[in-house]
Amino acid sequence: MKITLTIKWSYKAILISVLSCSFFSSCKAQVNENYISIDKVPELTEKENYSFDIPFQPSKMKNAANGTEADILYQNNDLSFSFFNDVLFLSPQKGLIVGGTNLSIRATTDAGKNWKALDFSRFANAFHSIAKTKEHIFVLGESKYIFRTDQNLEKWEVFNSQSLYSSEASIAWYKLRFLNDSFGIVVGQRKDNGRPIMMSTKDAGNTWEAIDLEGSVLKDYALVELSILDQKTWIILDDSIGITYITTDAGKTWQDITSNMQYNTDATLRSLWSVNPNELFAAGSRSFWRSTDLAKNWTRLDFPKPFNPIEIYNEGDYLTLTDITGLGQDIYVTSMASENDDGRTAFAYKLDRGDMTLKPLLRSDSSTFIGESHAIYALDKEHIYLLDRDKLYRVQDR
């Protein structure tokens, strides 16, 4: 009897062990199956020569803003190309820039001497945002796919976000941010019905969950920017005038906190950067703003000449501060200006907290920049990357 009982319990233990292993293996497989290697998605590799190499010889130029030298790490010579929208570097040697047309990625692992080019579309759709966790880099844009690669920038795979929406949904994603190495949010729009959309991840982008925005106060505009203050408190901007919404319950309810200054001063918000939960910066058309109360009220930061981009472009020209990044208390912004064919001697700036003035981060005494810049990224004070329409610069903050 004793022997029989022992055998039965041993059998049960083995059975439980097998079932447990099977269960956890299936769970793990389920996570991995959310992503598919790009070579298994024909529509992403149908473009002839979708992957190719671009050798490049980086060069230097004098940076009159601080007496250092700036590096030109890439220049695009394809006249049909539109512009780059985002940049991210993991180290001084390893990074990538993304944009459009053709869902284009350019990646380097040797500080710009060689670039791997990837064009995942035959059409004019563009990538808009890059973000990273400890293990992966994510790229997204005007596509239903969320792209990711490993830290070596070699193996690319995709998650089909349309699996969370109806089969008729036409999806575009505009911004992905991570609060930490686990929690992140991506925002965008359904092109078929104009409704804003949002997804979140709690496991570093391995799996995604759609956040239900139906019935909320959000209007039918794309969501283009967000700031994650904690796992429950998020601030988002839409692509109208940057109508501003806040949630304090992880997206269950939203409050419209759009400032009167956006209506009173024609100040369209396009980018957000949180130094900490008590200090938030916003940049947009003709203006730069600071809030210390979760975006309910803003203080406009006006900057003196000669490098005031707002004062220079207030008659006819339309200046937009397009992107913000930061290192601790240091804040950097970049900009674009319409009706400015002659170019500008500066287009990227640093906020000097001593006198709260905006000062050039890159300036030329001998030439001008196109200055149609959409992204800036600070790896550290010696390696700050900024994009002019067709060039990637690396500058120092000294």
Side-chain angles (χ1 to χ4, degrees):
M1 181 72 178
K2 183 177 180 180
I3 295 175
T4 304
L5 182 63
T6 302
I7 292 174
K8 286 183 177 179
W9 276 109
S10 299
Y11 174 77
K12 287 182 178 179
I14 293 171
L15 181 60
I16 291 171
S17 176
V18 170
L19 289 175
S20 296
C21 291
S22 176
F23 171 77
F24 287 116
S25 296
S26 66
C27 287
K28 186 175 181 181
Q30 186 177 3
V31 170
N32 291 335
E33 285 173 2
N34 282 331
Y35 284 86
I36 304 172
S37 175
I38 58 167
D39 59 13
K40 296 181 180 179
V41 188
E43 66 182 283
L44 298 177
T45 57
E46 64 181 348
K47 186 175 183 288
E48 185 177 359
N49 298 324
Y50 81 92
S51 175
F52 53 96
D53 296 320
I54 303 175
F56 187 76
Q57 183 60 51
S59 59
K60 294 183 180 293
M61 60 169 286
K62 179 183 177 182
N63 184 0
N66 54 21
T68 63
E69 286 187 317
D71 298 287
I72 302 174
L73 299 181
Y74 184 76
Q75 179 171 344
N76 182 68
N77 295 316
D78 183 359
L79 296 179
S80 66
F81 190 88
S82 182
F83 47 75
F84 289 108
N85 283 317
D86 209 357
V87 54
L88 184 146
F89 270 72
L90 301 175
S91 70
Q93 290 74 38
K94 190 182 298 183
L96 65 165
I97 49 181
V98 302
T101 56
N102 307 131
L103 292 177
S104 297
I105 295 174
R106 304 290 182 264
T108 182
T109 57
D110 57 8
K113 297 182 180 64
N114 293 279
W115 292 84
K116 170 66 71 175
L118 296 165
D119 292 342
F120 288 120
S121 173
R122 296 183 294 109
F123 305 103
N125 46 334
F127 281 123
H128 290 288
S129 183
I130 315 173
K132 68 181 179 70
T133 60
K134 285 183 179 179
E135 296 184 356
H136 293 103
I137 295 92
F138 294 82
V139 179
L140 54 88
E142 295 168 32
S143 168
K144 62 187 178 183
Y145 294 109
I146 305 295
F147 293 72
R148 78 175 183 183
T149 185
D150 56 21
Q151 295 284 330
N152 294 320
L153 309 181
E154 294 177 351
K155 178 186 175 182
W156 285 91
E157 54 189 6
V158 294
F159 164 69
N160 185 353
S161 63
Q162 196 173 51
S163 63
L164 300 177
Y165 299 92
S166 68
S167 59
E168 294 80 14
S170 175
I171 294 172
W173 298 109
Y174 293 106
K175 181 67 72 171
L176 169 61
R177 290 196 187 275
F178 282 93
L179 173 66
N180 48 45
D181 282 315
S182 297
F183 185 76
I185 300 173
V186 55
V187 294
Q189 184 182 39
R190 279 186 58 166
K191 294 287 190 176
D192 54 311
N193 62 13
R195 289 295 296 166
I197 52 177
M198 179 182 295
M199 297 190 305
S200 67
T201 179
K202 297 178 181 178
D203 57 7
N206 287 319
T207 59
W208 295 92
E209 178 182 357
I211 297 174
D212 186 8
L213 301 178
E214 293 301 322
S216 70
V217 298
L218 276 66
K219 299 176 175 63
D220 289 346
Y221 295 108
L223 302 179
V224 294
E225 176 64 298
L226 74 155
S227 181
I228 310 173
L229 305 182
D230 57 47
Q231 285 201 338
K232 292 187 176 181
T233 307
W234 320 329
I235 297 174
I236 58 176
L237 303 178
D238 73 15
D239 72 342
S240 57
I241 61 170
I243 294 176
T244 310
Y245 303 93
I246 187 171
T247 179
T248 57
D249 55 12
K252 294 178 182 177
T253 60
W254 295 88
Q255 180 184 359
D256 185 340
I257 55 170
T258 309
S259 173
N260 288 332
M261 64 89 182
Q262 291 172 254
Y263 300 101
N264 296 339
T265 62
D266 188 25
T268 299
L269 300 187
R270 280 291 176 264
S271 186
L272 296 170
W273 185 262
S274 175
V275 177
N276 55 61
N278 298 316
E279 186 175 38
L280 183 71
F281 287 88
S285 59
R286 304 186 180 95
S287 55
F288 193 37
W289 305 81
R290 177 174 179 260
S291 174
T292 57
D293 60 2
L294 294 179
K296 295 180 179 65
N297 295 283
W298 295 91
T299 299
R300 181 170 179 165
L301 303 179
D302 290 316
F303 308 107
K305 292 181 179 181
F307 304 118
N308 180 353
I310 300 166
E311 293 297 331
I312 293 174
Y313 301 99
N314 60 0
E315 293 295 336
D317 286 347
Y318 188 87
L319 180 99
T320 299
L321 299 178
T322 51
D323 195 25
I324 316 173
T325 192
L327 289 169
Q329 295 290 311
D330 293 323
I331 302 297
Y332 309 100
V333 298
T334 192
S335 63
M336 61 180 290
S338 66
E339 301 180 16
N340 189 42
D341 295 335
D342 294 333
R344 295 179 283 164
T345 58
F347 65 93
Y349 309 87
K350 175 188 177 181
L351 177 66
D352 187 330
R353 285 187 175 271
D355 53 9
M356 296 301 284
T357 59
L358 199 65
K359 297 181 178 178
L361 188 60
L362 173 63
R363 183 164 63 87
S364 173
D365 284 337
S366 59
S367 61
T368 59
F369 306 100
I370 297 174
E372 188 173 338
S373 179
H374 296 265
I376 184 168
Y377 180 78
L379 179 64
D380 54 47
K381 293 177 77 69
E382 298 294 311
H383 303 86
I384 301 173
Y385 301 88
L386 54 102
L387 293 166
D388 195 4
R389 180 185 178 94
D390 60 347
K391 295 183 181 68
L392 172 66
Y393 297 91
R394 181 177 62 199
V395 301
Q396 304 171 52
D397 175 16
R398 289 186 179 180

